[in-house]
Amino acid sequence: MLLCFVGTNFHGWQVQPNLRTVQGTLSDALGMLFGEKVKLIGCCRTDAGVHAKEYIANFRSSKFFPIDNLLKALNSILPEDIGIKKVWLEDLSFNARYSVAGKLYTYRVFPSLARDPFLEPFVWRIPYSLDIESMKRGAELFLGNYNFSGFAKLDEEEHDPFVEIEECKIEEKDRIIEISVRAKRFLRYMVRRMAGCLIYLGMGKLTVDEIKEFLSGKKCPYTAKAKGLTLERVFL
């Protein structure tokens, strides 16, 4: 299934005891409809507060539910901060975590003293001006295959810190600066720390040489706020 969610009131994707998560909420809804416990597999983890415009998940069931009816039923019982866009049948070998070809994240930062409550849940608003050209030069540093252990919280099952960044670009749209990053896979906290580096570079509080040190393994302490990050697209 293809879904989307506003992450503000979720503690991320992955099920956690006694916490509201996207996976837990959606699994409960599927269990209600299918009358059995459903194991739901997602294309990636998301941190608490992170949003997704596109997210791929899959599950198997011993019972059949007509696709169109399932789409309608899920959207009728799920809370308003989760939406199902599409449901379809896949080969049994499909696994949302491993079958996707890539992901595109966008981090949005709003350099402004004025506050807009319609933007506030989806951007990191900072009371500083940003040098976009410096940020663009900084973004080029990330292109290629690097050891991103300095940008990540490595999980026990994550043994490979090398990630190839296919795209890292900076654009300004309606005074909001968008940092877009595309790769096949990402490490935990990686995009938020990349964004944090570029934002602090734009504020003049960080240098290009310091970013190079982070790419050489030094721990990056600049983590951008979760609410500014959105999983924009998932590529199959």
Side-chain angles (χ1 to χ4, degrees):
M1 62 181 68
L2 176 67
L3 61 136
C4 55
F5 56 85
V6 174
T8 306
N9 296 317
F10 288 107
H11 289 267
W13 162 262
Q14 188 167 325
V15 168
Q16 299 180 61
N18 303 316
L19 292 175
R20 185 176 188 257
T21 66
V22 181
Q23 186 183 34
T25 303
L26 187 50
S27 294
D28 288 346
L30 288 167
M32 185 187 307
L33 294 175
F34 282 87
E36 64 183 20
K37 188 173 182 179
V38 172
K39 181 182 178 182
L40 188 64
I41 300 172
C43 62
C44 61
R45 291 180 177 180
T46 59
D47 297 335
V50 172
H51 318 289
K53 289 185 178 178
E54 286 191 6
Y55 189 98
I56 300 288
N58 73 281
F59 68 95
R60 297 182 186 184
S61 175
S62 62
K63 300 177 182 178
F64 181 74
F65 205 116
I67 295 299
D68 289 343
N69 292 351
L70 181 58
L71 179 67
K72 181 179 180 180
L74 279 172
N75 281 326
S76 68
I77 63 175
L78 285 168
E80 291 185 348
D81 44 5
I82 303 180
I84 308 300
K85 293 183 173 182
K86 181 181 177 182
V87 180
W88 69 98
L89 295 174
E90 269 288 357
D91 187 87
L92 287 175
S93 63
F94 183 86
N95 182 298
R97 181 175 179 183
Y98 300 111
S99 297
V100 297
K103 307 177 192 77
L104 175 69
Y105 280 94
T106 298
Y107 194 93
R108 293 176 173 86
V109 56
F110 184 32
S112 175
L113 291 173
R115 185 168 67 181
D116 184 339
F118 289 95
L119 293 177
E120 200 70 18
F122 307 103
V123 300
W124 182 17
R125 184 178 60 86
I126 58 173
Y128 302 98
S129 59
L130 294 174
D131 183 339
I132 298 178
E133 293 307 313
S134 291
M135 294 176 69
K136 288 180 178 179
R137 290 192 293 271
E140 293 176 358
L141 297 174
F142 293 115
L143 293 173
N145 196 337
Y146 291 100
N147 183 336
F148 278 93
S149 58
F151 290 82
K153 176 182 179 182
L154 294 178
D155 298 308
E156 291 182 3
E157 73 271 16
E158 185 64 70
H159 301 294
D160 183 9
F162 283 86
V163 177
E164 183 171 359
I165 301 297
E166 302 168 7
E167 177 184 312
C168 186
K169 66 179 182 180
I170 311 288
E171 295 180 299
E172 184 175 14
K173 298 179 181 179
D174 297 325
R175 297 187 298 142
I176 295 171
I177 297 174
E178 296 186 350
I179 303 167
S180 296
V181 186
R182 177 175 175 172
K184 180 172 176 56
R185 55 184 282 271
F186 293 93
L187 305 177
R188 196 173 182 191
Y189 300 155
M190 177 178 159
V191 179
R192 287 172 59 194
R193 286 179 176 156
M194 290 172 65
C197 278
L198 294 174
I199 292 166
Y200 275 82
L201 180 67
M203 290 191 289
K205 297 185 176 183
L206 190 67
T207 66
V208 166
D209 286 339
E210 287 176 291
I211 295 179
K212 290 179 179 178
E213 289 180 6
F214 300 144
L215 285 170
S216 297
K218 183 179 178 181
K219 199 66 177 178
C220 172
Y222 303 99
T223 306
K225 288 188 177 182
K227 67 176 185 172
L229 184 60
T230 299
L231 177 57
E232 291 283 323
R233 289 192 64 190
V234 178
F235 303 94
L236 292 175

